[in-house]
Amino acid sequence: MYYIRVQHHYSEINVINGINMSPSSLTPGLEIRVEHHPLKLILEKVAKGEIAIPIFQRDFVWGPEDVRTLFESILSNFPIGVIILWRPPGDINIPYIYFTDDIRKVTAKREPEYLVLDGNQRLTAILLAYRGWKIIRGGREIVTDPICLVPGGLSKVELRICHNSEIGVRLDKAIKAFIEYDFKLAEEIMKRVNEPLKNIIRDLMIKLVEYRIPVYYYETTTIAGNIELPALIAESFIRINKSGRRIGNVELLASLAIAVLNGDIGAKIRETYSELSRIGVDYSLFYRTLIKVFGFKQTDVARVPLKKIRPLVDKLKTLSRDEVESRLERLKSAIKSVYEAFNTLLSVSSLDELPSQISLVPVAYYMYKFEIDKQKLSHDEAQKVLGLYVLMNFRGTLSGSGSDSRLEKILAQIDDSGVIGVYKKAKDIGRLEKITGKDLIEPIKARYLEHKAFLFRVLLTLNKADDWTGNLINFAHKDLEIHHIFPKNIYGEKADCLANLTFVHKKVNRELGAKDPLSYITNIRQETLERHFMPIDITKYKNIEEFVKERAMLIVEHGKELLPEIFGARG
C-alpha cells in the first residue's frame, strides 16, 4: 500500500518506494492511497454497496466488443488501467446511484464509502459478466452480448461473442462458479470441453478472479473554504492517468462547484437536475448547457488550472434567487423540448437512449436561446436540429482533442444566427464535414460502430423502414440488431462498412447468421428492401465492392431528402 499527498504547486507526486518524500507544505484536505485489489474483492465491494457511481459519470456505453477486449486483456495479464475512487467530504452532497438497483436493498440506509471517478465502464462490464450479462440500474436494463470460451486451435481457448449458448463455455457461468466456489456449476459447464481444455479454462478462471487492479483512493476531508480542491482532484486524475485523458472536467468541476453552494442557489440547481434526470438527462448535457446559460465559456472550466473554478462559484453567488430561477426554468423548458422533439421524430423514450448527450448541448442551447418549444419547431427546423446532432455524433465533433473549443464555436454561431449558422461555418469549426458515399464504404472500427450506425438507425426510422418482420424501426424498438448483409465472417473487413449494414429484428439476424444474401433476399418484400436503401436487384453485382458502392450512393441520395443539411457527394 502506498500513501501519497498531492501538492498545490508541485508538478510531481513525490513517492519513492512507498515513502512520502513530499515537502511539508501540502494542500490540506486531499490524500491519495494506492492499493492493488484482486478482481474478486472489487466485485465484493460493489455488491456490498461500498462503491457507487456519481451522477456526473456517463452511463454504460461500451459495446460487446469492448467488453470482450477487456476480458481478453485480463486473461492475457495485460494492464487495464487504474480504478479511481473518491470519498467526498461530509459538507457536500453528490448525488449517486448504485451499480445495480438490488444493491440498495442490501445496504439499507448505509451510504456508499466511495464514488467512482474513473473505472465505471470497466467495473460495469465486469459486473455484467458476473451477473449473466444483464443488470438493472436506475430502473433501466443494461444488457450486453454473452461471451464464451471456445476452442481456438490445438489446446487453446479464445473469447468470442456467442449468441448460441451451446458453443463453448459461457464466461459468466465460469466466473460465477470460480468466485462462489460452486463446484456443481463448474462441473456442469466443463462437460462441454475435453480434458486439456478443462485445465486451461480452470487456470484462466483462477487467473481472472485473482487478477489485481490498481485502485487509487481519494480521501477529502472538507471542501468548505477550499474551492480549488475540485480542480486539484481533476488535475491529479490526469497525472495518475498518464495518458492525460480527461474525466469530463467540465462536468466534474461544475457539479462540484454547485455542490459547494449549499444555499438556495445550489439547492435550486440540484433540484432542476434531479427533475430532468427523469427523462434521462445526464450531467454532460445539463451542466455544459447551464455553464453557457450563466454566461461562461466551455473553455473557462474545461482546463484544470485551479483559478478556473472560482469565477463560476463567485458569479453564481452574486445572482439573485429570482434570476437563477428564471434562467433555470428556461433551461428546464429547453431541455424538455429537446426530449419532446426527439421523442416525436425518433420515438425516443429517454435521452439516455442516444449515443451522446454532449452533442445535445447545442440543440438544448438553441431551444433556450430562441425559446423554441415543440409546437414552434417547424419541420424544416426539426430537420436541421436533428441533422446537426446526427452529424456531430457521426464525426465525433465533440470528442477528443479540441472538443471544448469546437463546442464553444458552435454555441457562438447559435448566438449569432441559430443552427443554420453552424452549418455555414462548419469548415471553420472543424469535424463537421458533410457525409459522403465514401464515408459509407470505409471500414468501421468496432469501438466506433455504435456511433456510426446511429446515423443509419435514424435514417431507417425517418424512412419508415420495418425490421423485416413487419414492425416499424424506431428507438422504442428494443429487439433490433445490426445485420451484415454480406456476412462478416466470410468477407472480413470489407463487410464492416455502413453501406453493408442494416437493422433488423434480432430473431431475423440470428436466423440469417452467415448466409449469403442471394439465398434469402428474394424472400423479402421489395418495399421493405427499398426502405432499407437496398438496390432492387443485388444478383447483378459481381462482388461486395460493387454492392456497397451502389448502396452508398442510394443512402446519400435518400439522406439528402431526409436530412438535407448533412449529406454531400454520392461517391
Side-chain angles (χ1 to χ4, degrees):
M1 184 186 300
Y2 300 92
Y3 289 88
I4 51 184
R5 286 187 180 273
V6 181
Q7 303 175 69
H8 195 134
H9 300 292
Y10 291 84
S11 60
E12 298 293 331
I13 297 174
N14 298 303
V15 176
I16 300 176
N17 295 329
I19 301 173
N20 184 1
M21 303 298 290
S22 301
S24 58
S25 56
L26 303 173
T27 298
L30 175 62
E31 184 178 272
I32 301 173
R33 78 177 192 274
V34 189
E35 298 184 18
H36 289 75
H37 292 321
L39 185 146
K40 179 181 177 182
L41 178 59
I42 293 174
L43 272 175
E44 288 175 358
K45 287 178 176 289
V46 169
K48 291 177 181 178
E50 294 177 16
I51 305 170
I53 305 166
I55 297 298
F56 57 76
Q57 284 281 16
R58 58 183 181 158
D59 290 328
F60 185 68
V61 297
W62 274 16
E65 186 60 29
D66 297 311
V67 179
R68 191 198 67 80
T69 301
L70 173 72
F71 281 101
E72 190 174 70
S73 297
I74 291 173
L75 293 178
S76 300
N77 209 31
F78 294 157
I80 62 168
V82 303
I83 303 294
I84 301 182
L85 305 178
W86 175 45
R87 190 200 302 271
D91 56 352
I92 67 169
N93 176 28
I94 300 292
Y96 64 86
I97 189 169
Y98 286 106
F99 275 85
T100 64
D101 287 355
D102 58 357
I103 291 175
R104 181 171 292 280
K105 299 174 185 177
V106 176
T107 59
K109 296 181 180 180
R110 191 177 74 244
E111 296 289 319
E113 293 183 24
Y114 293 94
L115 302 180
V116 180
L117 281 187
D118 187 40
N120 175 29
Q121 303 298 311
R122 283 163 288 159
L123 289 176
T124 301
I126 291 167
L127 188 61
L128 278 166
Y130 180 53
R131 292 289 191 92
W133 311 112
K134 181 172 74 174
I135 59 175
I136 305 295
R137 179 183 296 166
R140 296 188 295 271
E141 193 176 74
I142 299 176
V143 184
T144 192
D145 291 341
I147 297 172
C148 292
L149 294 149
V150 300
L154 185 62
S155 297
K156 290 185 179 179
V157 172
E158 62 183 48
L159 292 178
R160 287 187 196 166
I161 294 168
C162 54
H163 295 298
N164 185 348
S165 60
E166 297 301 315
I167 299 174
V169 172
R170 283 271 295 253
L171 180 64
D172 54 314
K173 291 184 177 180
I175 291 174
K176 189 175 183 66
F178 278 80
I179 283 182
E180 298 181 0
Y181 302 106
D182 188 334
F183 300 110
K184 185 177 180 180
L185 178 59
E187 184 179 347
E188 177 189 329
I189 63 178
M190 289 296 189
K191 288 178 181 178
R192 298 184 179 184
V193 294
N194 59 35
E195 200 61 39
L197 287 180
K198 284 182 184 179
N199 294 330
I200 293 173
I201 291 173
R202 188 179 298 110
D203 291 343
L204 286 175
M205 287 302 98
I206 293 171
K207 180 188 293 185
L208 186 146
V209 298
E210 294 300 326
Y211 179 87
R212 291 183 174 268
I213 302 173
V215 179
Y216 280 69
Y217 288 89
Y218 280 40
E219 308 281 352
T220 48
T221 55
T222 181
I223 282 186
N226 189 7
I227 196 61
E228 286 92 355
L229 190 56
L232 187 62
I233 292 171
E235 184 174 2
S236 62
F237 170 87
I238 287 179
R239 293 182 188 173
I240 290 171
N241 233 32
K242 294 187 184 200
S243 63
R245 184 173 61 82
R246 291 177 180 169
I247 187 178
N249 289 347
V250 171
E251 295 85 351
L252 174 63
L253 298 183
S255 58
L256 291 180
I258 302 307
V260 174
L261 297 167
N262 285 322
D264 289 346
I265 294 176
K268 186 64 181 175
I269 292 173
R270 290 192 293 272
E271 177 188 317
T272 303
Y273 173 74
S274 178
E275 182 177 341
L276 289 172
S277 67
R278 295 170 195 158
I279 56 172
V281 174
D282 74 7
Y283 260 38
S284 64
L285 170 57
F286 179 70
Y287 277 114
R288 283 179 177 271
T289 313
L290 179 136
I291 284 165
K292 176 64 177 174
V293 162
F294 282 100
F296 288 92
K297 294 180 179 180
Q298 303 296 309
T299 48
D300 284 340
V301 289
R303 302 182 183 93
V304 293
L306 306 181
K307 63 182 181 181
K308 294 291 183 180
I309 194 173
R310 188 180 292 279
L312 176 61
V313 176
D314 289 345
K315 183 167 185 174
L316 288 171
K317 285 181 175 179
T318 65
L319 296 174
S320 69
R321 182 182 177 87
D322 288 345
E323 178 63 23
V324 171
E325 287 189 350
S326 174
R327 295 190 195 185
L328 285 175
E329 281 301 313
R330 275 184 63 191
L331 174 60
K332 181 169 67 176
S333 176
I335 293 178
K336 284 184 175 180
S337 294
V338 172
Y339 164 74
E340 289 166 357
F342 276 72
N343 175 263
T344 300
L345 292 165
L346 304 176
S347 298
V348 168
S349 59
S350 175
L351 290 179
D352 61 11
E353 295 172 4
L354 300 174
S356 166
Q357 290 204 25
I358 190 172
S359 295
L360 286 174
V361 173
V363 179
Y365 184 64
Y366 173 66
M367 300 286 201
Y368 175 90
K369 171 75 177 179
F370 298 98
E371 298 188 68
I372 298 172
D373 59 25
K374 186 181 69 169
Q375 286 73 30
K376 296 177 186 176
L377 195 65
S378 68
H379 175 71
D380 182 59
E381 286 175 316
Q383 277 188 324
K384 288 181 172 62
V385 164
L386 177 59
L388 179 60
Y389 176 78
V390 171
L391 183 60
M392 288 189 294
N393 188 71
F394 186 85
R395 292 296 184 198
T397 311
L398 301 183
S399 63
S401 177
S403 58
D404 295 315
S405 177
R406 287 190 291 273
L407 176 56
E408 191 53 47
K409 289 178 182 178
I410 290 170
L411 296 175
Q413 286 304 318
I414 289 174
D415 271 329
D416 186 55
S417 50
V419 170
I420 193 63
V422 179
Y423 287 116
K424 288 180 178 178
K425 294 290 184 179
K427 188 174 181 181
D428 296 335
I429 294 168
R431 285 202 197 174
L432 277 176
E433 303 85 1
K434 290 188 174 185
I435 299 166
T436 67
K438 184 179 178 182
D439 292 313
L440 305 180
I441 63 176
E442 290 179 346
I444 308 170
K445 292 181 179 178
R447 62 184 298 188
Y448 301 123
L449 182 60
E450 182 186 5
H451 284 266
K452 297 289 186 182
F454 174 76
L455 162 72
F456 206 71
R457 187 167 179 177
V458 169
L459 293 178
L460 292 172
T461 300
L462 297 178
N463 206 39
K464 294 181 170 54
D466 71 41
D467 63 357
W468 294 14
T469 70
N471 300 309
L472 283 178
I473 289 175
N474 53 44
F475 283 77
H477 196 320
K478 304 304 180 186
D479 292 316
L480 291 175
E481 286 185 351
I482 293 174
H483 175 62
H484 290 74
I485 298 164
F486 282 82
K488 181 179 178 181
N489 65 343
I490 296 176
Y491 293 92
E493 189 181 72
K494 295 176 184 177
D496 255 343
C497 66
L498 278 181
N500 187 51
L501 304 181
T502 197
F503 281 88
V504 300
H505 195 286
K506 64 183 181 182
K507 290 191 297 185
V508 174
N509 187 43
R510 294 171 191 186
E511 286 170 6
L512 296 178
K515 290 181 181 178
D516 188 293
L518 297 179
S519 69
Y520 65 79
I521 211 75
T522 54
N523 298 325
I524 300 171
R525 294 171 58 242
Q526 183 174 329
E527 183 185 354
T528 295
L529 295 176
E530 288 175 352
R531 290 194 179 276
H532 282 253
F533 319 113
M534 294 276 283
I536 295 174
D537 181 14
I538 72 168
T539 61
K540 68 180 182 180
Y541 301 107
K542 298 176 182 177
N543 51 50
I544 186 176
E545 289 88 353
E546 288 186 6
F547 168 76
V548 297
K549 186 176 181 180
E550 177 68 22
R551 189 162 183 253
M553 289 193 289
L554 283 172
I555 294 169
V556 171
E557 185 178 309
H558 286 279
K560 286 182 176 180
E561 297 174 5
L562 299 168
L563 296 172
E565 299 291 342
I566 72 172
F567 283 93
R570 293 173 65 199

